[in-house]
Amino acid sequence: MTPLHHKLLRDIRAQRAQFIAVIVTIFLGVTLFAASYDSYQNLAASYESTFTEFRFANVTMSGGDVAGFADVARQEPGVDSVELRTVGDVPLQMGGLKLLGRVVGMPPDAQPSVNQVRIADGSYLAASDTDTALAEEHMADHFKLAPGSTFEVLGPTGWQTMAVGGVASSPEYIWPARNRQELLTSPDNFAVVFVPERLAQVIVGTDGPNEAIVYYIDGVEDEALTDLLLAEAASRGATVSFARDDQPSNAALSEDLKGFEELALFFPMLFLAAAGMATYVMIGRLVHAQRPQIGVLLANGFTRRQVLSHYLGYGVIPGLIGAIPGAVAGVVLARVITGFYTEMLSVPSTLIRFYPATLLAGVAFGLVASILAAIGPALLASRIAPAEAMRGSAPAGRGRPSIVERIVPSLRRLPVPWRMALRGIERNPRRTLFTVLGVVLSLTLVLVSWGMLDTIVNLMDKQFVQIQQEDATVYFAGPVGTDDVLALQEVPGIAAAESVLQTPVVLVGDDRYESILTTFDSGTAMHRFFGDDGRERPLPDDGLLLGGAMKGILGVSAGDSVQLSVSGYATEARVAGFIDEPLGTAAYASRTYVETVVGATLPATSALIRYDEGAVVDEVRAGLVEMDGVAAFEDANALYDTAQKYMIFFYLFVGVMLLFGGAMAFALIFSAMSVNIAERTREVATLLAVGTERHQISRMITAENMMVALFGIPLGLGFGYLAAKQAMASFESDLFAFDLYIRPSTLVVSALAILVVALLSQWPGLRAIGHLDIAKIVKERSL
């Protein structure tokens, strides 16, 4: 080994605490990158494999002239297959539980050419089956259904008992969404069954198929063909039509994947930036402390290139030691994450692959971050003038009061230790700046993770507590009048009931948007509406309230008119305003306004109810489902619980980020504080030599460091808030509105935690003050 190699190893051993902190930060950053990015690639590959293997539809049309649309679609180049089927939402009954389910028609004896299913248990449908169905996997898991189990379905002739012939998973219901505006559904409130096509028509009560699905050659997307087919569907009176990207389940999964991809880069970049800063501070301190040694090296024949390479080694070694195991750990962790995620969602096809590029990129990111951090100090070391460096450095000019003392002259009368602490902050701007940056980055790492958790908790509270005021929803077997709704209040335990009409609509402005129009009674007490400014507003009797995302999609403002199409009937409707809701982008109107527009009295398809105080939910539900005309019951609390269940993975991911961020913050501040103390070894030795007590020096250094930390906290809170806002923006779409919300207590606790970490991270350095060899250090200074 060369002398420089020996010196490198000795320096690493001497500064092992700082090197370990840098290695830990690089390891965490690279692990996070490899785990999240490999998981993203695995999930994307699993979805694509599912879509191809089970021939997931590229275009879907519901309602209107589906047969004519199918004939046109079959003639288009690029179309592989077209299927006609019957789909309808009808009441199901599992034991004594009524719910609004979905029946999907399938050809017997052979899988359809579009939207096939995977049989997880049992067997596929046979032509001889007249009372057999396939239970969708989420439904089967929740209700413990297996081949041979039974349930009931409500058709035109009444309740019919069906046998479960098999359990199936489908690319259409990986995420079990009822529609784009109702992405979150509870298994107690929404279930899917697949039945023979002829039986589906009987149950739904149609004379023929009501839905057409189209699959392109090899499933490859073709934007021009999709636009053509969607235009054809609209011209043939489609109630709903959408491309694969807008299919409810796929749209939800795509948003999830998009956020996953962005976070897979966003978080690691924050971590590696922190690692780079810690490396820069550590090597910068070494170069500053070793100026005389560098001068000796250069004066004795070592080239500037050798010195440059030597100090770059201080970045390369921790970069490799942290990045290589970090990349391996991330790749392994990605397999666990992918398996957990696909199992939770019942993805029909799960692919877990090894991506060498991720492994190499992870190592490269960690190495590049540390090398970039080392370049500045290494270049500085290689350009030092030998004679000047060997003479050492002496401060120029005379001492003067700090800026704070000059602004507040009375502070000049403080005790000497306090004035030394104030002047120490200004005396070494580089050291102060690094400590402040350490605090800022640490707070940013913590706030991004914690802010995401606060936002999700606030989103759940806003949607299910502040906006939705009902305790449950009752669905009727068919349209009913006001008297049927009022009759619900006679059930013991129900305090109030309001009629609701929900129907699919198409809104047309500069563009078109398919949504759900929900009609409430004027002055409804079951649903609250909040404007863009956060203020509550009443449901108007002179127009529609639209989800905020429609403002940009349709290109309309309050007071404008939009075309409203319902089941082929089109009319003009006024936009009264826009509302802010976390989930979905729906349209709302009062019953009075819609009846005025259409010129007819509206029925109700469901009712929102509120319980008496102390009511027993199971008893209320039992009383309701026994009533004639009541098809299904949806408990609001069950929906909230389901939302929390599907957020488990998000909570887990962000929780890991918070844990990593906390570890990174400690390593970062520890590195900055340790260097801060280590740089002052000679200064401390001099103070000790003139008789200053060790505990007094410790208090002075602690006071200086804590004042610097206090200065960095407001900056850290500001940068952390902006970074958290950017992270949440990665999930924004018309399906979700993740407006950042951070509780004041989170800001306070984060700031206090950083102060505690700053205080604790000084302990090793302050402890070392008690073991300083004063004579040795003063002698080294004199040389």
Side-chain angles (χ1 to χ4, degrees):
M1 294 179 67
T2 66
L4 288 181
H5 288 152
H6 282 291
K7 176 181 177 299
L8 176 62
L9 294 179
R10 284 198 301 270
D11 285 342
I12 289 175
R13 283 195 295 268
Q15 306 292 331
R16 57 184 173 272
Q18 286 78 24
F19 273 93
I20 289 173
V22 170
I23 289 169
V24 168
T25 56
I26 293 173
F27 172 84
L28 292 177
V30 173
T31 297
L32 186 56
F33 164 75
S36 54
Y37 200 72
D38 252 17
S39 296
Y40 158 73
Q41 293 187 97
N42 283 333
L43 291 172
S46 296
Y47 295 150
E48 285 302 319
S49 174
T50 296
F51 297 164
T52 303
E53 182 178 354
F54 296 96
R55 302 174 66 85
F56 185 37
N58 295 89
V59 172
T60 300
M61 172 192 177
S62 296
D65 181 12
V66 295
F69 170 81
D71 290 338
V72 172
R74 290 189 182 98
Q75 305 305 314
E76 291 296 330
V79 170
D80 180 292
S81 303
V82 180
E83 281 278 343
L84 290 171
R85 65 180 187 175
T86 301
V87 178
D89 289 353
V90 298
L92 302 179
Q93 188 164 266
M94 308 288 172
L97 179 68
K98 285 184 179 179
L99 61 124
L100 188 63
R102 177 166 296 168
V103 169
V104 179
M106 303 280 280
D109 292 333
Q111 289 264 12
S113 59
V114 188
N115 286 354
Q116 297 177 352
V117 296
R118 179 182 70 90
I119 305 300
D121 192 12
S123 58
Y124 186 71
L125 301 170
S128 58
D129 292 336
T130 58
D131 59 355
T132 303
L134 299 176
E136 196 275 326
E137 195 164 4
H138 293 89
M139 167 190 177
D141 289 344
H142 181 72
F143 291 107
K144 310 300 181 187
L145 300 179
S149 301
T150 61
F151 64 93
E152 292 180 276
V153 59
L154 182 61
T157 59
W159 290 100
Q160 177 181 348
T161 300
M162 301 288 293
V164 175
V167 175
S169 58
S170 165
E172 292 183 271
Y173 300 102
I174 295 174
W175 182 279
R178 180 177 281 136
N179 53 57
R180 282 177 62 87
Q181 308 311 322
E182 296 175 280
L183 292 176
L184 289 174
T185 57
S186 164
D188 281 339
N189 304 324
F190 180 68
V192 178
V193 294
F194 304 94
V195 303
E197 171 61 22
R198 198 174 292 274
L199 178 58
Q201 293 179 22
V202 172
I203 294 172
V204 177
T206 64
D207 295 330
N210 60 7
E211 187 167 283
I213 44 181
V214 183
Y215 182 73
Y216 298 164
I217 295 174
D218 297 326
V220 177
E221 294 288 0
D222 185 329
E223 188 175 345
L225 178 57
T226 298
D227 290 342
L228 186 151
L229 292 178
L230 290 177
E232 180 68 23
S235 70
R236 291 183 176 273
T239 303
V240 176
S241 60
F242 47 78
R244 176 188 286 178
D245 288 345
D246 294 323
Q247 195 271 342
S249 173
N250 190 36
L253 294 173
S254 295
E255 290 299 324
D256 195 38
L257 267 185
K258 185 184 77 170
F260 213 123
E261 180 184 23
E262 294 186 15
L263 292 182
L265 297 175
F266 181 81
F267 272 108
M269 290 305 104
L270 276 180
F271 279 41
L272 291 177
M277 200 211 77
T279 304
Y280 181 84
V281 170
M282 179 185 67
I283 301 175
R285 183 259 165 187
L286 279 174
V287 171
H288 179 76
Q290 294 181 2
R291 282 175 59 87
Q293 298 176 30
I294 295 170
V296 171
L297 291 173
L298 293 171
N300 281 278
F302 285 90
T303 66
R304 296 188 183 278
R305 178 173 294 180
Q306 286 176 305
V307 172
L308 175 65
S309 299
H310 171 67
Y311 283 97
L312 279 177
Y314 291 101
V316 172
I317 288 180
L320 287 175
I321 295 175
I324 292 175
V328 173
V331 169
V332 174
L333 184 59
R335 294 171 174 265
V336 177
I337 293 173
T338 303
F340 174 81
Y341 194 91
T342 56
E343 182 179 354
M344 182 180 72
L345 291 180
S346 299
V347 179
S349 179
T350 300
L351 291 183
I352 298 178
R353 295 172 176 167
F354 172 64
Y355 301 93
T358 302
L359 195 66
L360 294 175
V363 174
F365 284 161
L367 193 57
V368 167
S370 58
I371 290 177
L372 287 177
I375 284 177
L379 284 172
L380 179 63
S382 67
R383 294 172 180 173
I384 288 176
E388 180 184 343
M390 293 170 66
R391 283 198 302 270
S393 60
R398 62 186 182 85
R400 63 174 182 172
S402 63
I403 293 177
V404 177
E405 292 175 85
R406 296 199 295 274
I407 295 174
V408 186
S410 60
L411 294 179
R412 298 181 187 183
R413 293 191 293 273
L414 286 172
V416 172
W418 283 101
R419 278 182 283 157
M420 290 179 68
L422 287 172
R423 296 178 186 184
I425 295 173
E426 185 180 343
R427 182 160 47 90
N428 195 324
R430 178 183 61 87
R431 185 172 65 211
T432 300
L433 176 62
F434 289 156
T435 305
V436 169
L437 284 177
V439 171
V440 169
L441 273 175
S442 299
L443 265 175
T444 299
L445 290 168
V446 171
L447 276 183
V448 168
S449 304
W450 209 335
M452 293 177 76
L453 286 176
D454 279 355
T455 298
I456 295 300
V457 171
N458 181 66
L459 180 151
M460 293 291 112
D461 178 77
K462 184 174 182 179
Q463 183 69 42
F464 295 106
V465 177
Q466 298 180 42
I467 293 175
Q468 297 178 201
Q469 297 292 295
E470 75 276 11
D471 291 317
T473 303
V474 174
Y475 294 95
F476 299 107
V480 300
T482 304
D483 292 341
D484 296 285
V485 175
L486 294 176
L488 298 177
Q489 299 183 68
E490 298 176 7
V491 175
I494 293 182
E498 288 185 10
S499 60
V500 174
L501 173 66
Q502 285 188 311
T503 183
V505 295
V506 178
L507 297 110
V508 181
D510 291 344
D511 202 346
R512 68 194 304 271
Y513 187 77
E514 295 177 356
S515 184
I516 300 292
L517 173 64
T518 303
T519 304
F520 292 103
D521 293 339
S522 298
T524 176
M526 298 293 182
H527 198 97
R528 298 170 70 192
F529 305 93
F530 295 91
D532 296 338
D533 57 1
R535 296 180 180 178
E536 186 176 1
R537 59 173 301 165
L539 183 65
D541 285 331
D542 61 347
L544 305 174
L545 288 181
L546 303 181
M550 284 197 224
K551 184 186 296 185
I553 295 172
L554 301 179
V556 294
S557 302
D560 293 343
S561 293
V562 294
Q563 185 184 57
L564 186 69
S565 298
V566 182
S567 301
Y569 172 80
T571 186
E572 291 288 319
R574 178 179 176 273
V575 178
F578 297 91
I579 55 173
D580 178 22
E581 292 190 348
L583 302 179
T585 301
Y588 299 97
S590 69
R591 178 177 296 274
T592 303
Y593 177 71
V594 177
E595 288 180 342
T596 301
V597 170
V598 301
T601 301
L602 295 181
T605 55
S606 59
L608 302 180
I609 63 172
R610 189 174 293 166
Y611 303 144
D612 284 323
E613 187 174 350
V616 180
V617 177
D618 289 342
E619 293 179 0
V620 174
R621 183 170 196 153
L624 285 169
V625 297
E626 292 300 322
M627 295 181 66
D628 292 335
V630 172
F633 176 94
E634 180 177 87
D635 185 67
N637 290 328
L639 193 59
Y640 179 80
D641 292 341
T642 300
Q644 293 287 26
K645 172 190 172 184
Y646 283 116
M647 287 297 175
I648 287 176
F649 188 80
F650 184 86
Y651 290 145
L652 182 63
F653 180 81
V654 177
V656 171
M657 298 306 101
L658 184 58
L659 182 64
F660 277 24
M664 182 79 78
F666 183 85
L668 193 59
I669 294 180
F670 171 78
S671 178
M673 292 295 180
S674 298
V675 167
N676 193 349
I677 295 173
E679 280 188 342
R680 310 177 69 162
T681 303
R682 293 181 180 179
E683 176 187 332
V684 170
T686 302
L687 289 173
L688 290 172
V690 298
T692 308
E693 295 290 338
R694 294 180 189 270
H695 65 83
Q696 190 174 14
I697 295 174
S698 296
R699 286 200 299 268
M700 180 185 69
I701 293 175
T702 299
E704 179 183 328
N705 285 337
M706 297 309 289
M707 282 191 286
V708 173
L710 283 170
F711 178 74
I713 281 175
L715 295 175
L717 293 175
F719 278 103
Y721 181 87
L722 293 176
K725 192 173 184 67
Q726 181 62 35
M728 293 311 304
S730 65
F731 290 96
E732 285 285 339
S733 72
D734 66 308
L735 303 180
F736 303 103
F738 288 113
D739 296 325
L740 178 66
Y741 173 81
I742 298 181
R743 291 176 297 174
S745 60
T746 296
L747 300 176
V748 173
V749 172
S750 298
L752 291 176
I754 291 299
L755 284 176
V756 172
V757 169
L759 189 63
L760 294 177
S761 63
Q762 296 181 112
W763 179 76
L766 295 176
R767 185 171 176 271
I769 291 176
H771 301 88
L772 287 178
D773 188 335
I774 301 174
K776 178 181 177 182
I777 295 173
V778 173
K779 181 179 179 180
E780 286 176 353
R781 182 178 181 185
S782 67
L783 294 176

